Amino acid sequence: MSGDQQPGLKRQLSRPNAEHHSSNTESKQPRTDRDQLASSQDGAEMRAPVVRFGVHPLSKYSQACPQFSEPRELVSFSYDSNRRACMDNRELKYYYPPRLQPPPSLFSGFEQQVKRDHTRNEHIDGLLSALTHIRQQNGDESVLLRDAQSDFVMYRGMLTRIFVTPYSLRDAWSMNATKVGSTIYIEENVTVENIAGRLGSSEEHQRMMYGGYRFETLCVIDTPPEKLLPEELELNLQARADEIVNTNLEYCSVFRTRLGGHSIVSGAEVDCIERAKPSAFPSRHYRELKTVKLLDSERAQSSFERFKLLKFWAQSFIAGIPTVTVGFRDENGVLRGVQDFKTQDMPRMVKNKPRMWKANVCMNFADQVLQFIKSHVVEDGPETQYRIEYDPESQEIRISPLGQREPFLTAEYLSALAP
């Protein structure tokens, strides 16, 4: 599972310029020309440049992997039961394998869950608050300024979407970007259509989403297992079986890494850790928790490896998380099995199989897209914004200037950046 927040400036949801749908994932001739986007203002036609990056051919990303540095955690924070960002580890959970006898239902407690308010656009407020907290905690202005001057600041979810695009050609995405100093900040472009889709999803889809959260509660406890007596551990295991799911709760790691020539500060939801959190490289002990339907056929196995495993790998690789624990459920939501997958092994699992993905293609593609963004998101100032979007119909990434807009960076953060 994965997310973000913190009160900041009043901001408005935006509408996408267009919606594109395509069931065709075959290669298309990329358009690399500079186009023009027409808009009307006071009856006069204004024209602004749109730049394009064609995904194909994938062969141009087949070289050796670009340099990727192990993520280094800068700070961590939690969202409490009321979705307030707290600069501490109160929501860090500890992994303990779920009990499978009797097999638990992942749909149990669906009606009692506490749901996060998805009508609220949280932007990247939580991430910015965490970076501001570094300065306050250390009392050293240079710490925040050094980390904030990375080439990019964004949540892991945005990086993941870029990473998987060469093999997820049907999945559109849209982001907003702004540049302050030498740093480009990127957030998801949350639209009224996005929110309507979340609120209007079918009950079956909502149950599947809930099942993922429920699986998490069945895999974690609040205290490192090694610090509990046997009877204390048993009490914890009994309590989690009846726990009401609250999707406001979240633990986030903020880390710094480098892909090719790009320094990146990112934030990622962390499901749990395997033991008491160490002071150095805690990501080596973090663990992702996922659920999928039972792989009861060759086709299901192939689909799992082609699509699910790709996203599991990208998410975990970017954040330096070594293990993904997958819960397999039947069509009634009953948990039938659990399996661990090592992040570093996933590319080898699909190697030389037809229609599968390659890690080096994902990494080189992301490296080139980040350079493309750097080259065209150039105007400085938080009010100056750009739209970065992938269009499945043309299978290209477009960057278009949005002009002057209300900043999505918080006033608190901008104040911290001021000299």
Side-chain angles (χ1 to χ4, degrees):
M1 310 297 294
S2 292
D4 26 84
Q5 188 276 114
Q6 157 91 9
L9 298 174
K10 180 181 177 183
R11 311 177 185 96
Q12 297 179 344
L13 298 178
S14 60
R15 290 181 176 272
N17 293 329
E19 292 181 351
H20 303 279
H21 304 278
S22 173
S23 59
N24 179 19
T25 60
E26 297 302 315
S27 296
K28 297 192 176 187
Q29 185 66 28
R31 288 169 30 180
T32 56
D33 60 308
R34 291 180 70 91
D35 208 343
Q36 299 290 318
L37 176 67
S39 62
S40 178
Q41 181 176 351
D42 297 329
E45 191 177 69
M46 306 293 294
R47 305 185 71 81
V50 175
V51 290
R52 303 170 185 273
F53 182 95
V55 173
H56 300 287
L58 297 190
S59 58
K60 63 184 175 180
Y61 317 113
S62 293
Q63 61 266 38
C65 294
Q67 178 189 3
F68 184 82
S69 62
E70 180 177 7
R72 178 175 62 86
E73 185 170 278
L74 303 173
V75 68
S76 55
F77 68 98
S78 302
Y79 286 110
D80 68 10
S81 59
N82 295 310
R83 201 61 187 171
R84 289 178 300 210
C86 308
M87 297 300 137
D88 54 41
N89 293 336
R90 69 182 67 186
E91 292 307 326
L92 176 60
K93 305 298 183 184
Y94 303 88
Y95 180 72
Y96 196 87
R99 287 175 166 170
L100 299 178
Q101 295 300 329
S105 169
L106 298 183
F107 296 163
S108 176
F110 174 74
E111 291 78 12
Q112 287 75 44
Q113 68 175 303
V114 179
K115 292 184 179 181
R116 175 178 160 188
D117 180 7
H118 285 292
T119 65
R120 183 178 183 184
N121 185 356
E122 296 179 339
H123 299 275
I124 57 171
D125 294 7
L127 182 53
L128 299 180
S129 290
L131 292 176
T132 304
H133 177 70
I134 294 174
R135 174 181 181 178
Q136 296 169 340
Q137 187 180 46
N138 291 273
D140 180 2
E141 183 175 321
S142 66
V143 174
L144 173 64
L145 294 179
R146 184 190 67 229
D147 290 324
Q149 285 175 354
S150 297
D151 297 322
F152 294 95
V153 170
M154 70 184 93
Y155 273 111
R156 174 184 62 175
M158 304 301 98
L159 269 177
T160 300
R161 290 181 191 180
I162 295 172
F163 260 65
V164 305
T165 295
Y167 300 102
S168 302
L169 296 172
R170 299 182 186 184
D171 298 338
W173 49 257
S174 182
M175 306 173 190
N176 300 319
T178 191
K179 184 176 183 181
V180 178
S182 60
T183 302
I184 296 171
Y185 300 82
I186 297 176
E187 65 157 9
E188 180 179 7
N189 178 35
V190 178
T191 68
V192 290
E193 288 83 2
N194 295 149
I195 294 196
R198 293 172 188 170
L199 299 178
S201 60
S202 68
E203 182 172 324
E204 179 183 6
H205 176 73
Q206 291 182 38
R207 283 185 180 275
M208 297 304 159
M209 295 293 293
Y210 170 80
Y213 288 107
R214 168 77 172 150
F215 179 65
E216 289 180 18
T217 66
L218 295 176
C219 289
V220 301
I221 55 179
D222 293 333
T223 306
E226 65 272 17
K227 294 187 176 182
L228 295 172
L229 297 172
E231 57 270 24
E232 294 173 324
L233 176 60
E234 181 60 29
L235 287 173
N236 274 267
L237 298 182
Q238 291 176 10
R240 75 181 185 181
D242 300 318
E243 186 175 343
I244 294 175
V245 171
N246 184 336
T247 60
N248 287 303
L249 299 173
E250 190 175 316
Y251 174 73
C252 294
S253 171
V254 178
F255 56 91
R256 183 172 184 151
T257 187
R258 175 174 289 273
L259 175 64
H262 316 293
S263 57
I264 304 164
V265 167
S266 188
E269 177 181 359
V270 173
D271 295 327
C272 58
I273 194 169
E274 294 182 357
R275 59 182 179 84
K277 183 176 178 178
S279 58
F281 293 102
S283 61
R284 294 175 182 177
H285 306 282
Y286 288 151
R287 184 181 288 247
E288 289 274 357
L289 302 173
K290 303 290 185 181
T291 57
V292 299
K293 193 175 178 181
L294 280 169
L295 307 181
D296 52 7
S297 67
E298 252 184 61
R299 182 177 180 180
Q301 177 72 32
S302 178
S303 178
F304 169 76
E305 293 177 349
R306 185 181 177 193
F307 299 111
K308 293 288 187 181
L309 212 58
L310 166 62
K311 291 181 180 177
F312 295 172
W313 168 79
Q315 284 184 326
S316 302
F317 176 78
I318 289 167
I321 299 176
T323 306
V324 179
T325 296
V326 178
F328 294 93
R329 54 168 174 77
D330 64 22
E331 60 184 10
N332 297 313
V334 176
L335 183 62
R336 297 298 182 182
V338 175
Q339 183 177 349
D340 288 346
F341 294 86
K342 293 299 180 183
T343 303
Q344 66 179 9
D345 293 340
M346 292 178 188
R348 289 195 292 268
M349 289 174 61
V350 301
K351 188 176 181 180
N352 298 325
K353 293 186 178 182
R355 305 174 70 201
M356 290 294 170
W357 51 275
K358 296 179 180 179
N360 65 315
V361 169
C362 295
M363 294 176 68
N364 282 303
F365 176 80
D367 184 27
Q368 292 188 33
V369 169
L370 292 179
Q371 184 57 51
F372 173 66
I373 294 172
K374 267 186 183 177
S375 299
H376 298 289
V377 176
V378 293
E379 294 296 324
D380 192 355
E383 296 86 6
T384 302
Q385 295 179 30
Y386 297 78
R387 177 70 38 77
I388 308 169
E389 53 192 348
Y390 168 68
D391 173 19
E393 187 173 312
S394 61
Q395 296 184 4
E396 65 187 9
I397 294 171
R398 296 195 296 256
I399 299 178
S400 51
L402 298 178
Q404 300 291 296
R405 296 204 168 191
E406 187 174 17
F408 64 79
L409 304 183
T410 63
E412 176 193 38
Y413 182 75
L414 291 172
S415 176
L417 284 182

